[in-house]
Amino acid sequence: MPPAKTPRTKSKANRPGKTASMSDVAREANVSIFTVSAVINNKTHVSQVRRQRVMDAIAKLNYRPNLLARSLIKQKTQTIGMVVSDIANPFFPMVVRGVEDAAQSRGYNLLLCNSDDLIEREERQLELLLSKRVDGILLVKATGELSPSLRQMIKEVNIPFVLVMRTYPQLTRDAVISDDYQGSYDAVRHLARAGRRRIGLIGGNLKISNAKERWRGFRDALEAENLPFDPALVAEGDYRIESGFRAGQAILSHRPDGIYVANHLMTIGLLTAAGEVGLMCPEDFGLVSFDDYPWLGVFRPRLTTVELPKHQLGSEAAELLIRRIEGDQSSAVLRKLQPELRIRESCGFGLHVSGSSKSR
Amino acid sequence: MPPAKTPRTKSKANRPGKTASMSDVAREANVSIFTVSAVINNKTHVSQVRRQRVMDAIAKLNYRPNLLARSLIKQKTQTIGMVVSDIANPFFPMVVRGVEDAAQSRGYNLLLCNSDDLIEREERQLELLLSKRVDGILLVKATGELSPSLRQMIKEVNIPFVLVMRTYPQLTRDAVISDDYQGSYDAVRHLARAGRRRIGLIGGNLKISNAKERWRGFRDALEAENLPFDPALVAEGDYRIESGFRAGQAILSHRPDGIYVANHLMTIGLLTAAGEVGLMCPEDFGLVSFDDYPWLGVFRPRLTTVELPKHQLGSEAAELLIRRIEGDQSSAVLRKLQPELRIRESCGFGLHVSGSSKSR
DNA sequence: TTGTAGGCGTTATCAA
DNA sequence: TTGATAACGCCTACAA
């Protein structure tokens, strides 16, 4: 017999345990599925009676639209993916917060991944995000090169990317970063003005763009202050505590009188190393560190730092990304936020020296 | 005319800009859509030749399965939602890291939201997570009651919930928390053993389960040590810096010789307040704080703290949640992780006093 | 082993 | 204003 107008397997009453669908609501309200959709998205005008019937049904069935289905057909998930090297690095939470705030306020959710700064993990995460069809991706690029095939795929699906904190021209020109050169320059100059002459550097992996910039700033500041560059006072770390510790052991034995450390975690490592050999800050060496945190104001030594606008970094990146997602085709933007030197006492007579964060 | 066996609107060649679908691959490989699916999920045996053809097509078209569609039909997103009061509170990043690690290793992604500890925001986030059909939710409950309708909805969709750090019996019995009573008790007893007699407390909002527990621990320890309870030395904060600052101003004027602060952020506030009135730790007052961080070991005063196993808190919560998601129906679990007293010098002669974190 | 066809829960396009 | 009905891209009986 012909498959008459019988509701096929469609008919599924309010079977419990199963979340109600649009057709359930439609049946309950005695209207078409279209009508339900219309009132939910309040599109075309729906007569008062029907609208009310639908609303009642929705309430009664405890209906909640399935955003998966909507995403599937609209080709839009209202979700942005973010892969960060390590959310437990105190630098990132505030950045993520900025992202979340901006995303949330524009109706996007955040899918967060850690790459541990490992290229393989980063690639896995990116592939997953692509498969989950996020609308755009915020990336704190791990050290290393993306595989050509992945890059190819990214180009093809044409999904917006915005780099955060680290540039990587192979991928995109959109990036929101801090002016690391300037921050570094200011930090070292401050050290010099505080009378330090043998200034050391504990930097990040030089494959990372901001580590390179910070290194450049260090070199240029030394030169500007007519200070010698001593390779024995320079170490390349990886932005983690342990590397700061080892770098500290290496550098401190050469007796620098000032050290500039390119991030907070490595500073902790350095201070640990200093403690072990009984060297004090600022008595034995002046110190300027990157990234500022609330607790740095209350503990001693009260560290002089170069603060980066973390929240803003995140929110601007998210806003840029969302603009791209929503069709902004304007030319690439490289947003460089200015750091701010926060002078405390870790360089000696810091309080009375004027900072120079405004230059350039 | 009858809708003959013509490919309807289906036929869409490799139109660029559009991501390839399964049927595109099938056409390219000259096999059925089923075969493609079979090789992707390597299900039933597919002949070598066909398998190879499919793989080639996949590579050529740069195909990537659409997990949205898969989720829709399998009713499973491989995504867990987490709503946290504030990722920028240094306590949470490591918890989130634990969650992410566990989730990742079991094939789940993390959708992260901030509630700012605001009940309305929390409800919005939860509703969104439900609509996005996450498979389960990790919740650091904000202060306040969930609306009955939302609770109703949660019951109906029957989605697994695991509470983190804070219990809330209205919602679920599954929770992973720390033994706050014990931690608090140990903290105060340590203060007492260090000779402090006028011990104050800066706690959290008493509507929060762990704030209550920490308060209980404080009271009981005072009693056990035969110390008086002075209301002037107790303040209720909200786990934020500012509240610690105000609490400090209020309490310090009554000259406690020991203070126990229930989280790190409030400790920062307290130390700021102390600094403003020229009171020093540990000279003027001993201090024990909750949550430990790497930097606390290198700055002075070197704080004695009650450390909570943050990463484990997150990973165990995620693992429990995933077990529930994957069908574990066993009875409710309330996992209570033990804190650890980390004795440093903020109470005076701390180093030589034996801790008691193992008791009970 | 492989293919066909129906369905997951929406939105969108046409008619009515 | 409403209602059928075809997508969206995938999985999965059931058939072949």
Side-chain angles (χ1 to χ4, degrees):
Chain A
M1 72 192 63
K5 216 42 175 210
T6 59
R8 289 174 289 198
T9 41
K10 278 287 186 185
S11 104
K12 41 178 169 183
N14 343 8
R15 60 277 156 84
K18 240 310 200 175
T19 145
S21 79
M22 237 165 154
S23 59
D24 294 327
V25 175
R27 190 163 347 95
E28 176 73 28
N30 230 315
V31 298
S32 83
I33 216 175
F34 166 88
T35 307
V36 179
S37 176
V39 11
I40 286 176
N41 305 291
N42 49 355
K43 282 284 192 51
T44 38
H45 286 296
V46 177
S47 72
Q48 262 311 321
V49 271
R50 299 174 103 81
R51 152 163 275 116
Q52 193 53 53
R53 283 213 315 262
V54 170
M55 311 249 289
D56 290 348
I58 287 179
K60 175 172 177 197
L61 298 184
N62 230 310
Y63 168 76
R64 184 154 285 291
N66 183 329
L67 297 187
L68 280 179
R70 179 181 300 176
S71 294
L72 183 57
I73 196 165
K74 299 196 87 163
Q75 312 271 53
K76 187 112 191 315
T77 52
Q78 297 294 118
T79 302
I80 73 188
M82 178 171 197
V83 15
V84 152
S85 58
D86 180 11
I87 184 69
N89 174 333
F91 178 77
F92 290 110
M94 193 54 99
V95 177
V96 171
R97 186 55 148 100
V99 168
E100 236 267 307
D101 287 346
Q104 209 61 249
S105 83
R106 291 157 160 290
Y108 287 79
N109 272 123
L110 182 64
L111 214 37
L112 185 71
C113 312
N114 287 117
S115 71
D116 254 335
D117 222 336
L118 263 28
I119 187 76
E120 314 81 36
R121 283 194 67 167
E122 174 175 271
E123 295 202 327
R124 265 215 313 281
Q125 317 281 34
L126 288 178
E127 293 187 358
L128 211 56
L129 291 177
L130 291 179
S131 284
K132 290 214 170 171
R133 299 296 192 263
V134 295
D135 296 331
I137 295 181
L138 254 25
L139 177 62
V140 179
K141 185 70 191 68
T143 52
E145 295 293 326
L146 246 33
S147 79
S149 80
L150 182 53
R151 243 164 51 208
Q152 157 79 6
M153 152 127 281
I154 288 169
K155 282 284 167 262
E156 265 182 29
V157 305
N158 200 26
I159 181 182
F161 260 82
V162 170
L163 297 174
V164 182
M165 283 304 292
R166 308 176 181 181
T167 57
Y168 179 64
Q170 305 302 316
L171 185 55
T172 169
R173 301 252 162 221
D174 277 344
V176 177
I177 63 179
S178 51
D179 191 338
D180 297 293
Y181 175 84
Q182 187 63 44
S184 200
Y185 190 92
D186 292 347
V188 175
R189 217 161 59 155
H190 176 72
L191 239 12
R193 291 186 174 189
R196 311 294 175 164
R197 328 275 351 155
R198 291 179 48 71
I199 301 180
L201 161 72
I202 299 181
N205 185 322
L206 286 176
K207 285 183 194 144
I208 299 177
S209 67
N210 60 20
K212 250 183 318 221
E213 285 300 287
R214 291 173 197 184
W215 195 79
R216 275 209 315 124
F218 170 76
R219 293 290 315 241
D220 285 3
L222 282 190
E223 197 163 319
E225 297 287 339
N226 270 312
L227 293 177
F229 170 78
D230 181 350
L233 297 182
V234 171
E236 182 178 343
D238 63 4
Y239 288 153
R240 294 192 178 94
I241 292 180
E242 176 63 17
S243 74
F245 178 74
R246 279 197 307 270
Q249 291 182 316
I251 288 180
L252 288 170
S253 61
H254 294 92
R255 289 318 192 98
D257 61 4
I259 303 182
Y260 153 54
V261 189
N263 90 337
H264 184 54
L265 253 24
M266 294 194 300
T267 296
I268 295 172
L270 164 66
L271 288 175
T272 305
E276 289 192 356
V277 294
L279 255 23
M280 304 279 284
C281 165
E283 295 81 353
D284 299 310
F285 61 96
L287 179 58
V288 176
S289 166
F290 245 62
D291 321 339
D292 200 64
Y293 300 95
W295 54 84
L296 294 184
V298 299
F299 292 111
R300 278 155 303 163
R302 299 202 337 130
L303 256 41
T304 289
T305 63
V306 175
E307 165 63 341
L308 307 182
K310 311 182 199 71
H311 188 280
Q312 191 184 357
L313 232 20
S315 64
E316 289 210 12
E319 270 157 17
L320 173 55
L321 182 68
I322 292 173
R323 246 180 287 133
R324 292 303 190 199
I325 290 173
E326 299 185 342
D328 179 352
Q329 300 279 350
S330 60
S331 61
V333 358
L334 175 64
R335 179 88 165 96
K336 198 181 278 191
L337 301 179
Q338 289 306 306
E340 176 198 330
L341 186 62
R342 295 221 173 141
I343 300 177
R344 298 202 185 88
E345 296 95 38
S346 61
C347 298
F349 51 69
L351 277 177
H352 310 295
V353 173
S354 69
S356 64
S357 63
K358 286 289 164 239
S359 55
R360 189 91 351 127
Chain B
M1 72 193 65
K5 214 53 174 199
T6 59
R8 288 171 289 201
T9 41
K10 278 286 184 186
S11 103
K12 42 179 167 182
N14 344 7
R15 60 276 157 87
K18 238 312 198 173
T19 146
S21 80
M22 238 166 156
S23 58
D24 293 327
V25 175
R27 189 163 350 92
E28 177 72 27
N30 229 316
V31 298
S32 84
I33 214 174
F34 167 87
T35 307
V36 179
S37 176
V39 8
I40 286 175
N41 305 292
N42 51 351
K43 281 284 190 52
T44 39
H45 286 296
V46 177
S47 72
Q48 263 310 323
V49 270
R50 297 174 104 82
R51 150 163 276 116
Q52 194 53 53
R53 283 212 319 260
V54 170
M55 311 249 287
D56 291 348
I58 287 179
K60 174 171 176 199
L61 298 185
N62 229 309
Y63 169 75
R64 184 153 285 291
N66 184 328
L67 297 187
L68 280 179
R70 178 181 298 177
S71 294
L72 184 57
I73 198 165
K74 298 196 86 165
Q75 310 272 53
K76 189 115 190 316
T77 52
Q78 298 293 118
T79 303
I80 73 186
M82 178 170 197
V83 16
V84 152
S85 57
D86 180 11
I87 184 68
N89 174 334
F91 178 78
F92 290 110
M94 192 54 98
V95 177
V96 170
R97 185 56 148 102
V99 168
E100 237 267 309
D101 287 346
Q104 209 61 249
S105 83
R106 291 156 159 291
Y108 287 79
N109 273 123
L110 183 64
L111 214 37
L112 184 71
C113 310
N114 286 116
S115 70
D116 255 334
D117 223 336
L118 263 27
I119 187 75
E120 313 80 35
R121 282 194 67 167
E122 175 175 272
E123 295 203 327
R124 266 213 313 280
Q125 317 281 35
L126 288 178
E127 293 188 358
L128 211 55
L129 291 177
L130 291 179
S131 285
K132 290 215 169 170
R133 299 297 193 263
V134 295
D135 296 331
I137 295 180
L138 253 25
L139 177 63
V140 179
K141 186 69 191 69
T143 52
E145 296 294 325
L146 247 32
S147 80
S149 80
L150 182 52
R151 242 163 53 208
Q152 157 79 7
M153 152 126 282
I154 288 170
K155 283 282 168 262
E156 265 182 30
V157 304
N158 200 28
I159 180 182
F161 260 81
V162 170
L163 297 174
V164 181
M165 283 302 293
R166 308 176 181 181
T167 58
Y168 179 64
Q170 305 302 315
L171 184 54
T172 170
R173 302 252 162 222
D174 277 342
V176 177
I177 63 178
S178 51
D179 191 337
D180 298 293
Y181 175 85
Q182 187 64 43
S184 201
Y185 190 93
D186 292 347
V188 175
R189 216 159 60 154
H190 176 72
L191 239 12
R193 291 184 174 191
R196 311 295 175 163
R197 328 281 344 160
R198 292 179 48 71
I199 300 180
L201 161 72
I202 300 181
N205 186 322
L206 287 176
K207 285 183 194 145
I208 299 177
S209 66
N210 60 20
K212 250 184 318 220
E213 286 299 289
R214 291 171 196 185
W215 195 78
R216 275 209 315 124
F218 170 77
R219 291 292 313 245
D220 285 3
L222 282 190
E223 197 162 320
E225 297 286 339
N226 270 312
L227 293 176
F229 169 79
D230 181 350
L233 297 183
V234 171
E236 181 178 344
D238 63 4
Y239 288 153
R240 293 193 181 92
I241 292 179
E242 176 64 17
S243 74
F245 178 74
R246 280 197 307 269
Q249 289 182 316
I251 289 180
L252 288 169
S253 61
H254 293 92
R255 288 320 192 96
D257 60 4
I259 303 182
Y260 153 54
V261 189
N263 90 335
H264 184 54
L265 254 22
M266 293 194 300
T267 296
I268 294 172
L270 164 66
L271 288 175
T272 305
E276 289 192 357
V277 295
L279 255 23
M280 303 280 282
C281 167
E283 295 80 354
D284 299 311
F285 61 96
L287 179 57
V288 176
S289 167
F290 244 61
D291 320 340
D292 199 64
Y293 299 94
W295 55 84
L296 293 184
V298 299
F299 292 112
R300 279 154 303 161
R302 300 201 338 130
L303 254 43
T304 290
T305 62
V306 174
E307 166 63 341
L308 308 181
K310 312 182 199 70
H311 188 280
Q312 190 184 358
L313 232 19
S315 65
E316 289 210 13
E319 270 157 17
L320 172 55
L321 182 68
I322 291 173
R323 246 180 286 134
R324 292 301 189 201
I325 290 173
E326 298 185 344
D328 179 354
Q329 300 279 352
S330 60
S331 61
V333 358
L334 175 64
R335 179 90 166 95
K336 199 181 277 191
L337 300 179
Q338 289 306 305
E340 175 198 332
L341 187 63
R342 295 221 171 140
I343 300 177
R344 298 202 186 88
E345 296 95 36
S346 61
C347 298
F349 51 68
L351 277 179
H352 310 294
V353 172
S354 68
S356 64
S357 63
K358 287 288 162 242
S359 56
R360 193 87 347 123

